[in-house]
């Protein structure tokens, strides 16, 4: 029986800046691809955010998925297995964005989505013939997709429920790789199929790994009605449209939504305009956050620093805003022009890309481009200030007293983040270090 080792690669550097021991998320890509492997294969999965690779594993093929900051590490993995004559297949975001680079390190690459082609490739591998590159010509349908193989999840506890209902996003924000990766198209799984997979999890806490669960509001409401009877708790990512629609929020809350990760990105309208995200109306942020809170749903704000309109004042103003709005959690990122995006092309044309060392494209510990209105050290220092202040005890008290939504878990989570940050956040270094 041929043996396939699937690896979710994560470089030591990115594990450190993400502190993934603490943020131990279950991933779905490989357990999902495993469910599409034809019968007759034995499949193993190693998620490097939590597990170690057995370099001596006797396998016939290795498949690796990875993000840009883990690219060199993934190429090292490929080299080690290829030196033993094992066929190595690379796929995922970075391969899709820079296929010509990735193909130098692999026997086979998958560009973009793999439904159908992956099965075809595995069958031809068994027959002894296969191509160097696979790419679908049209985005695949998400009907009848098999459920991810739960026995390949690394977590077997309460939080092991992860699935996706939709894929892609029809918006085209300049800094985002999602619309590029999925051909600017939003696709949806049939609601009954999603509800059945949702119901199949034993655990109570579920994450929808969708790019934007509010991408189609009518679909989302129907989905929430279908999953409500299972009485689980869930969270997902959503664009700001989610907070404009009472019926969406009502249905979400009734179905067990406890938190939305909201792509606010910036409190500067000019910044939003500059990256083609003008649908984020900054003047409506308070009202939107308040409305989400009024349904008992916590808000995790996704914030990005370093847009062209950002000055060193942006860090203080952003935290003042988040405190005043009573936001429960926030993820701060340093603007990162991922290759293949409109942002990368623009900054490259302007001569502002400082390094192509992909390990530095981690959005947390390095600045890889020349910001317009500050220098790279100011941006790094401001990023650190934002994290430290947001997760300081006075800020936690201010925010959670202002909006005591889901306090039973938002308070311990904030305290844990606070402990993490004040024991030493990501090491800060410039682009040349
Ligand atoms: C879940 C998720 C995570 C999880 C789990 C990560 C994981 N490895 O699965 C966590 C929270 C850990 C995470 C972390 C990060 N993430 Co993330 N994440 C996502 C998210 C929301 C969903 C991914 C997913 O599960 N999709 C569902 C599956 C089924 O789809 P898929 O992965 O695309 O797989 C399909 C194809 O791509 C293909 N495929 C993929 N891999 C392979 C491999 C082989 C061999 C084959 C044949 C096919 C194949 O087949 C699948 C079926 O078609 C995406 C957004 C997105 N939609 O991709 C961002 C996304 C992938 N993440 C992103 C980023 C930036 C990060 C971080 C750098 C953030 C940070 N600063 O910490 C880190 C990096 C982590 C690392 N170790 O390197 C970017 C990637 C940018 C890039 N150029 O790499 C994305 C696109 C978000 C964005 N809007 O820009 N992430
Ligand atoms: S709305 Fe979100 S997922 Fe969609 S393109 Fe913009 S940043 Fe990406």
């Amino acid at each position: 029986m041929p043996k396939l080792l699937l690896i979710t690669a994560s470089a030591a550097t990115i594990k450190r800046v993400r502190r993934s021991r603490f943020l131990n998320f279950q991933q779905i890509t490989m357990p999902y691809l495993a469910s599409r492997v034809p019968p007759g294969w034995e499949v193993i999965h190693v998620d490097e955010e939590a597990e170690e690779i057995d370099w001596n594993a006797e396998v016939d093929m290795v498949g690796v998925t990875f993000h840009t900051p883990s690219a060199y590490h993934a190429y090292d993995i490929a080299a080690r297995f290829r030196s033993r004559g094992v066929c190595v297949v690379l796929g995922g975001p970075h391969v899709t964005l820079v296929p010509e680079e990735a193909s130098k390190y692999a026997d086979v690459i998958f560009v973009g989505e793999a439904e159908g082609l992956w099965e075809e490739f595995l069958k031809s591998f068994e027959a002894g013939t296969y191509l160097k590159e696979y790419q679908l010509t049209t985005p695949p349908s998400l009907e009848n997709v098999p459920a991810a193989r739960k026995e390949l999840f690394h977590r077997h506890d309460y939080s092991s429920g992860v699935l996706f209902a939709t894929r892609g996003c029809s918006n085209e924000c300049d800094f985002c790789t999602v619309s590029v990766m999925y051909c600017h198209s939003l696709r949806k799984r049939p609601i009954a199929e999603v509800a059945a997979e949702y119901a199949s999890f034993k655990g109570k806490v579920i994450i929808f790994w969708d790019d934007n669960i509010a991408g189609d509001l009518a679909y989302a409401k129907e989905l929430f009605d279908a999953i409500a009877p299972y009485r689980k708790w869930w969270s997902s990512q959503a664009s700001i449209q989610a907070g404009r629609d009472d019926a969406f929020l009502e249905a979400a809350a009734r179905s067990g939504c406890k938190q939305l990760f909201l792509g606010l990105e910036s409190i500067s309208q000019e910044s939003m305009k500059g990256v083609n995200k003008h649908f984020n109306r900054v003047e409506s942020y308070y009202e939107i956050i308040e409305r989400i809170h009024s349904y008992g749903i916590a808000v995790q704000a996704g914030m990005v620093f370093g847009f062209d309109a950002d000055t060193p004042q942006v860090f203080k103003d952003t935290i003042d805003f988040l405190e005043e709005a009573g936001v429960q959690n926030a993820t701060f990122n340093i603007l990162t022009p991922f290759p293949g995006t409109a942002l990368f092309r623009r900054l490259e044309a302007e001569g502002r890309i400082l390094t192509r060392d992909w390990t530095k494209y981690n959005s947390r510990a390095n600045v890889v481009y020349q910001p317009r209105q500050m220098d790279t050290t100011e941006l790094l220092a401001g990023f650190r200030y934002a994290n430290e202040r947001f997760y300081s005890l006075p800020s936690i008290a201010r925010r959670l007293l202002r909006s005591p939504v889901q306090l039973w878990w938002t308070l311990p989570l904030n305290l844990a983040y606070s402990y993490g940050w004040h024991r030493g956040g990501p090491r800060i270094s410039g682009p040349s270090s």
Side-chain angles (χ1 to χ4, degrees):
M1 181 185 278
K3 214 165 164 184
L4 169 63
L5 168 61
L6 295 175
I7 299 174
T8 301
S10 198
T13 41
I14 186 80
K15 279 198 275 192
R16 210 164 37 241
V17 297
R18 283 182 44 72
R19 284 159 301 142
S20 50
R21 220 157 27 96
F22 178 55
L23 291 169
N24 188 5
F25 287 114
Q26 177 59 55
Q27 72 101 34
I28 195 172
T29 305
M30 287 319 201
Y32 168 68
L33 282 178
S35 72
R36 305 193 72 105
V37 171
W41 284 77
E42 185 185 339
V43 187
I44 320 164
H45 173 219
V46 172
D47 181 346
E48 284 198 286
E49 295 241 343
E51 299 154 335
E52 301 283 326
I53 296 172
D54 172 4
W55 297 105
N56 299 316
E58 288 300 328
V59 292
D60 301 282
M61 186 189 292
V62 172
V64 190
T65 189
F66 56 98
H67 298 54
T68 295
S70 293
Y72 302 142
H73 172 65
Y75 300 154
D76 285 345
I77 295 174
R80 280 182 80 163
F81 281 103
R82 289 178 88 196
S83 71
R84 285 175 41 200
V86 177
C87 172
V88 173
V89 191
L90 300 180
H94 189 73
V95 177
T96 301
L97 298 169
V98 276
E100 29 342 294
E101 174 190 292
S103 73
K104 289 188 213 143
Y105 303 94
D107 296 292
V108 181
I109 58 164
F110 270 74
V111 181
E113 295 162 83
E115 279 81 1
L117 277 185
W118 170 234
E119 296 88 314
E120 207 176 280
F121 156 67
L122 291 168
K123 283 184 195 142
S124 37
F125 177 83
E126 283 183 89
T129 140
Y130 54 86
L131 305 173
K132 168 90 183 146
E133 182 174 325
Y134 289 83
Q135 180 167 18
L136 285 172
T137 44
T138 49
S141 146
L142 296 184
E143 274 179 35
N144 286 320
V145 306
R149 282 173 55 177
K150 296 186 185 62
E151 80 279 12
L152 298 179
F153 285 2
H154 75 267
R155 294 187 71 150
H156 300 285
D157 56 12
Y158 63 92
S159 69
S160 62
V162 290
L163 76 168
F164 61 89
T166 66
R167 183 180 294 167
C169 179
S170 44
N171 298 317
E172 292 184 30
C173 309
D174 285 356
F175 57 88
C176 181
T177 52
V178 163
S179 50
V180 186
M181 279 163 58
Y182 303 123
C183 310
H184 310 290
S185 77
L186 171 73
R187 273 149 295 133
K188 297 156 273 185
R189 293 176 63 191
I191 284 171
E193 293 178 20
V194 183
E197 187 171 351
Y198 186 88
S200 74
F201 292 109
K202 287 203 183 79
K204 178 104 179 148
V205 181
I206 310 289
I207 303 178
F208 282 98
W209 270 146
D210 290 41
D211 309 308
N212 179 7
I213 196 86
D216 177 332
L217 292 168
Y219 170 88
K221 282 179 246 179
E222 222 184 293
L223 172 67
F224 302 158
D225 288 344
I227 60 174
Y230 303 110
R231 305 181 67 78
K232 295 181 187 293
W233 299 332
W234 64 266
S235 79
S236 190
Q237 308 186 104
S239 64
I240 200 148
Q241 277 96 336
R244 295 198 181 114
D245 189 314
D246 279 298
F248 171 96
L249 292 172
E250 196 276 323
R254 201 164 18 85
S255 65
C257 177
K258 297 292 167 204
Q259 172 163 276
L260 286 174
F261 181 106
L262 210 59
L264 296 180
E265 324 294 1
S266 173
I267 55 161
S268 151
Q269 195 61 54
E270 213 185 321
S271 292
M272 292 293 79
K273 200 168 141 232
V275 290
N276 200 26
K277 195 155 187 169
H278 30 75
F279 56 86
N280 267 21
R281 305 299 312 167
V282 170
E283 77 274 5
S284 66
Y285 282 6
Y286 275 112
E287 185 196 321
I288 280 174
I289 292 166
E290 231 165 53
R291 187 175 299 125
I292 297 175
H293 285 159
S294 73
Y295 288 93
I297 299 171
V299 169
Q300 168 136 11
M303 307 304 300
V304 179
F305 295 121
F307 293 111
D308 281 358
D310 288 353
T311 68
Q313 184 60 28
V314 72
F315 308 105
K316 179 181 179 301
D317 290 351
T318 301
I319 307 303
D320 286 350
F321 162 76
L322 295 173
E323 286 180 353
E324 225 167 293
V327 161
Q328 285 75 21
N329 292 298
T331 301
F332 301 103
N333 280 310
I334 296 167
L335 183 66
T336 303
F338 285 109
T341 59
L343 179 66
F344 186 92
R345 285 192 295 277
R346 176 166 68 79
L347 293 178
E348 192 179 39
E350 292 171 4
R352 293 167 62 195
I353 297 290
L354 298 175
T355 174
R356 282 163 197 265
D357 174 349
W358 304 136
T359 55
K360 295 190 164 115
Y361 283 61
N362 52 54
S363 311
R364 307 277 162 90
N366 297 92
V367 179
V368 297
Y369 71 102
Q370 184 55 56
R372 170 98 55 211
Q373 305 206 52
M374 52 186 130
D375 60 36
T376 55
T377 44
E378 276 174 307
L379 179 47
L380 283 164
F383 168 78
R384 183 163 195 111
Y385 156 87
N387 277 285
E388 281 176 357
R389 187 175 141 201
F390 187 84
Y391 287 113
S392 67
L393 295 179
S395 178
I396 294 172
R398 214 166 298 140
R399 290 183 288 105
L400 300 190
L401 283 172
R402 162 85 175 76
S403 312
V405 173
Q406 303 287 336
L407 211 50
W408 62 275
W409 64 266
T410 56
L411 178 60
L413 189 69
N414 268 271
L415 294 175
Y417 275 124
S418 177
Y419 178 74
W421 259 100
H422 294 94
R423 280 206 56 203
R427 269 186 332 118
I428 290 183
S429 53
S432 56
S433 62

